């Protein structure tokens, strides 16, 4: 007998009919003789609806109360799915994050899972029940409810699979697997049969919303067998594993993209040695993630610093920079909104020089100005204007021959 963790996302549980379909899928796994833990998201767009209600009250709602609010979405689904399973003659029990022993660090809105006490889940599994766990939520040591960041139910599932030493974690969603790029935007995107943990981690971090980046991190660190597959169609999905073995290892495997990026430039930093650490330490303390960083020196010996952030963080970033103007000793601030990041990813890049060159050539031929660049061993990212994002994605997808034959 094996232990399988199944995760169903918002669209897959978006109506009573779909919840009944999920119950069927769980029954199938149970009938194959496995123990089953099911992690579910909130129904359909209900998390967005909760966010919008809060925003009607306040531009920046209290983060603790926001977690209290958002965690209710998943609680609806766990109870309904448990009832649906009962109705089909299966014994099931639903657990909120804290009941399932999911402990997190004390951060609201984007908490990391710190440990999982699986006793309660295991007890119910041994009693023969299907255990249904609310995704996206946990509890701090002080008993405060936290959430794991948008899309975080994937992370609940993979972390539980790791903690329970499950045989497999299946992520059921509204696409049939991981594609060469988002199939919602690029019609000839191709499904990958397998992708490596490292490639998937880059793709997820660079905007491929099909998996939460921390879920991939857990899968990699604990060697969880992970598959992304459709909750509607019974077809093979995409396996995420140590090495992508099942098909030819193309140099570029996928194109990821995200909009809502802002470039911030701090001009004339006179004391760049201490200013750099002050700026980035203060931003980090304010939970502001900085992505690409570029520094150049002026003829007068001062430094100009540019970095990219999510546009949502622009106001707090501006506050940090303005409140510390004296200590930082800079001349001027500049920013550009409405930017996007387009990235190509593939582990074959390590041994293939010229991939970045080709990317810039493709963008230049498409008349797309590049604003910032960053690279790692297995990816190249270019920041472009938001209006050029999809054009860039399509051109790169085509040039690196990622589409269906
Ligand atoms: P769920 O609610 O099941 O968690 P998500 O909306 O979070 O579903 O993730 C699935 C979506 O991810 C797809 O509908 C697709 O538009 C998007 N997506 C982005 N990049 C990719 C990709 N490379 N492959 C597949 N889907 C992708
Ligand atoms: N319901 C949460 C969200 O919409 C978590 C998830 O679906 O993974 O972000
Ligand atoms: Mg998701």
């Amino acid at each position: 007998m094996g232990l399988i963790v199944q995760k169903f996302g918002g669209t897959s549980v978006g109506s009573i009919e779909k919840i009944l379909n999920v119950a069927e899928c769980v029954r199938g796994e149970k009938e194959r003789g496995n123990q089953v833990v099911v992690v579910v998201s909130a129904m359909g767009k209900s998390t967005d609806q909760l966010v919008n209600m809060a925003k009607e009250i306040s531009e920046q709602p209290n983060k603790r109360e926001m977690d209290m609010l958002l965690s209710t979405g998943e609680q609806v689904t766990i109870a309904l799915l448990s009832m649906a399973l009962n109705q089909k003659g299966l014994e099931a029990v639903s657990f909120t994050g804290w009941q399932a022993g999911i402990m997190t660090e004390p951060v609201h809105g984007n908490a990391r899972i710190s440990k999982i006490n699986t006793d309660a889940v295991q007890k119910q599994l041994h009693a023969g029940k299907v255990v249904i766990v609310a995704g996206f939520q946990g509890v701090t040591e002080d008993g405060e409810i936290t959430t794991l960041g948008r899309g975080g139910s994937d992370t609940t599932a993979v972390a539980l699979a790791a903690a329970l030493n499950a045989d497999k974690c299946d992520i059921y969603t509204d696409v049939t697997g991981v594609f060469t790029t988002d199939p919602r935007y690029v019609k000839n995107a191709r499904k990958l049969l397998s992708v490596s943990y490292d490639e998937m981690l880059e793709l997820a971090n660079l905007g491929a919303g099909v998996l939460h980046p921390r879920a991939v991190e857990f899968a990699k660190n604990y060697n969880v067998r992970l598959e992304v597959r459709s909750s509607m169609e019974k077809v093979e999905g995409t396996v995420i594993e140590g090495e992508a073995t099942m098909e030819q290892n193309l140099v570029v495997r996928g194109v990821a993209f995200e909009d809502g990026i802002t470039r911030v430039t701090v001009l004339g930093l006179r004391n760049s040695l201490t200013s750099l650490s002050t700026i980035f330490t203060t931003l980090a303390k304010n939970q502001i993630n900085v992505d690409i960083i570029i520094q150049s020196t002026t003829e007068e010996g001062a430094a100009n610093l540019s970095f990219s952030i999510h546009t949502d963080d622009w106001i707090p970033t501006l506050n940090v920079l303005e409140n510390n103007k004296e200590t930082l000793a800079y001349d001027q601030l500049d920013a550009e909104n409405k930017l996007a990041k387009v990235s190509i990813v593939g582990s074959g890049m390590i041994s293939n020089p010229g991939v970045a060159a080709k990317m810039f050539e493709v963008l230049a031929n498409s008349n797309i100005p590049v604003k910032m660049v960053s690279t790692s061993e297995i990816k190249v990212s270019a920041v472009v204007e938001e209006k050029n994002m999809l054009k860039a994605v399509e051109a790169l997808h085509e040039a690196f021959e990622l589409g269906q034959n």
Side-chain angles (χ1 to χ4, degrees):
M1 185 167 59
L3 169 56
I4 311 286
V5 176
Q6 300 183 314
K7 180 259 168 178
F8 295 88
T11 326
S12 309
V13 293
S15 64
I16 295 300
E17 197 191 338
K18 288 188 169 171
I19 289 177
L20 291 169
N21 172 54
V22 167
E24 248 339 285
C25 191
V26 175
R27 177 155 75 176
E29 203 61 81
K30 203 62 185 134
E31 281 173 356
R32 281 190 283 278
N34 292 311
Q35 291 184 319
V36 187
V37 174
V38 191
V39 174
V40 284
S41 293
M43 289 173 71
K45 299 255 171 255
S46 59
T47 309
D48 289 338
Q49 285 159 5
L50 293 170
V51 170
N52 290 341
M53 280 197 275
K55 289 258 158 85
E56 275 182 41
I57 293 175
S58 155
E59 257 305 302
Q60 292 202 300
N62 179 289
K63 290 188 166 178
R64 175 191 184 274
E65 302 310 333
M66 203 62 192
D67 277 354
M68 187 65 86
L69 177 70
L70 297 193
S71 61
T72 61
E74 271 66 15
Q75 205 170 325
V76 171
T77 326
I78 53 171
L80 291 174
L81 179 59
S82 188
M83 292 172 197
L85 286 167
N86 289 163
Q87 201 60 26
K88 288 182 188 289
L90 288 180
E91 279 200 279
V93 57
S94 66
F95 280 153
T96 60
W98 72 264
Q99 287 177 314
I102 299 174
M103 309 295 300
T104 76
E105 58 179 13
V107 170
H108 286 295
N110 199 17
R112 283 176 176 273
I113 295 177
S114 49
K115 67 171 188 266
I116 302 185
N117 179 348
T118 59
D119 292 353
V121 173
Q122 254 156 350
K123 193 170 157 205
Q124 297 296 339
L125 286 175
H126 288 143
K129 293 188 188 168
V130 173
V131 180
I132 305 159
V133 180
F136 171 63
Q137 56 178 263
V139 67
T140 68
E141 286 200 347
D142 295 337
E144 291 290 335
I145 293 175
T146 50
T147 60
L148 310 182
R150 296 304 305 269
S153 296
D154 297 334
T155 301
T156 305
V158 182
L160 266 173
L164 291 163
N165 207 3
D167 295 282
K168 202 168 171 230
C169 181
D170 285 328
I171 306 285
Y172 288 88
T173 183
D174 59 358
V175 281
T176 54
V178 178
F179 283 66
T180 47
T181 193
D182 190 336
R184 207 179 303 179
Y185 295 95
V186 178
K187 289 294 161 240
N188 76 333
R190 186 172 52 86
K191 186 172 74 180
L192 298 164
L193 288 179
S194 78
V195 60
S196 72
Y197 291 128
D198 287 330
E199 288 170 326
M200 193 63 234
L201 195 55
E202 289 282 14
L203 286 169
N205 271 317
L206 295 167
V210 63
L211 278 177
H212 195 238
R214 284 185 199 145
V216 188
E217 233 171 78
F218 265 106
K220 182 183 170 184
N221 292 343
Y222 295 92
N223 232 342
V224 176
R225 260 186 79 205
L226 191 60
E227 182 169 343
V228 175
R229 54 194 306 178
S230 164
S231 59
M232 300 295 154
E233 287 173 64
K234 278 207 167 88
V235 291
E236 224 179 329
T238 302
V239 177
I240 295 114
E241 56 191 355
E243 289 295 328
T245 47
M246 287 187 228
E247 57 188 328
Q248 192 194 358
N249 207 1
L250 292 171
V251 176
V252 174
R253 304 266 292 157
V255 183
F257 52 94
E258 70 176 315
D259 56 10
I261 292 187
T262 293
R263 171 187 55 79
V264 182
T265 299
V266 189
L267 293 156
L269 275 166
R270 286 182 290 283
N271 195 353
S272 67
L273 203 63
T274 51
S275 300
L276 280 188
S277 78
T278 312
I279 289 179
F280 293 121
T281 311
T282 324
L283 290 174
K285 270 193 202 140
N286 286 272
Q287 312 284 336
I288 296 167
N289 266 328
V290 172
D291 184 19
I292 303 175
I293 302 172
I294 299 169
Q295 196 200 195
S296 59
T297 316
T298 66
E299 276 176 17
E300 296 79 43
N304 292 339
L305 174 75
S306 288
F307 55 90
S308 64
I309 51 168
H310 280 285
T311 306
D312 291 347
D313 287 332
W314 164 233
I315 301 293
T317 303
L318 186 64
N319 289 339
V320 166
L321 291 171
E322 284 185 340
N323 294 342
N324 293 284
K325 187 159 199 256
E326 296 278 291
T327 6
L328 296 174
Y330 62 83
D331 290 337
Q332 221 181 312
L333 289 180
D334 178 46
E336 186 176 6
N337 287 313
K338 292 201 172 9
L339 297 177
K341 187 165 68 170
V342 177
S343 311
I344 53 174
V345 174
S347 40
M349 276 184 209
I350 301 177
S351 50
N352 276 282
V355 178
K358 179 165 172 184
M359 176 173 184
F360 299 132
E361 190 187 319
V362 172
L363 295 176
N365 289 343
S366 309
N367 273 326
I368 299 174
V370 174
K371 307 272 178 174
M372 296 173 105
V373 172
S374 84
T375 63
S376 79
E377 274 189 326
I378 65 164
K379 68 118 195 216
V380 186
S381 300
V383 173
V384 299
E385 286 166 71
E386 231 166 56
K387 63 173 195 228
N388 287 327
M389 179 178 78
L390 289 177
K391 190 167 130 192
V393 171
E394 275 170 4
L396 292 166
H397 195 260
E398 178 80 34
F400 285 99
E401 295 170 29
L402 295 174
Q404 284 160 355
N405 301 323

